[in-house]
Amino acid sequence: TALHDAGFMVSVANPSCVKGFGQSENLRNKTDTADAALIARYCALIKPAAWSPPPGSSDSYEPGRSDFRHSRGPRITADLN
């Protein structure tokens, strides 16, 4: 939500679709620079819909909050131990 609040257009794209798009371009490089360029080309061609955060959403941590973003980290740690 921070990028949206700062006035940037935010889109949510399925990572599998972006990966498939890269494979269709026969790309093999896996660097941050190459990934950023791929995502930029994908968005320029596909033009994914703009995303807006749901009303009342927040990126700040709230004790006791049990949404996916905050509950995932400890579970992954538990699964690895």
Side-chain angles (χ1 to χ4, degrees):
T1 60
L3 290 173
H4 182 270
D5 292 344
F8 290 93
M9 185 184 111
V10 178
S11 295
V12 178
N14 184 328
S16 296
C17 293
V18 177
K19 181 179 179 180
F21 180 79
Q23 289 172 337
S24 74
E25 293 189 340
N26 202 24
L27 296 179
R28 295 192 176 127
N29 291 340
K30 278 297 292 176
T31 65
D32 290 344
T33 303
D35 287 346
L38 171 65
I39 293 167
R41 286 192 308 278
Y42 176 85
C43 291
L45 183 65
I46 303 300
K47 297 181 181 17
W51 171 86
S52 294
S57 67
S58 171
D59 271 348
S60 62
Y61 174 73
E62 299 171 19
R65 187 172 174 175
S66 62
D67 71 358
F68 181 73
R69 289 175 293 168
H70 296 105
S71 64
R72 185 175 182 194
R75 180 172 178 216
I76 290 173
T77 302
D79 289 345
L80 293 175
N81 290 331

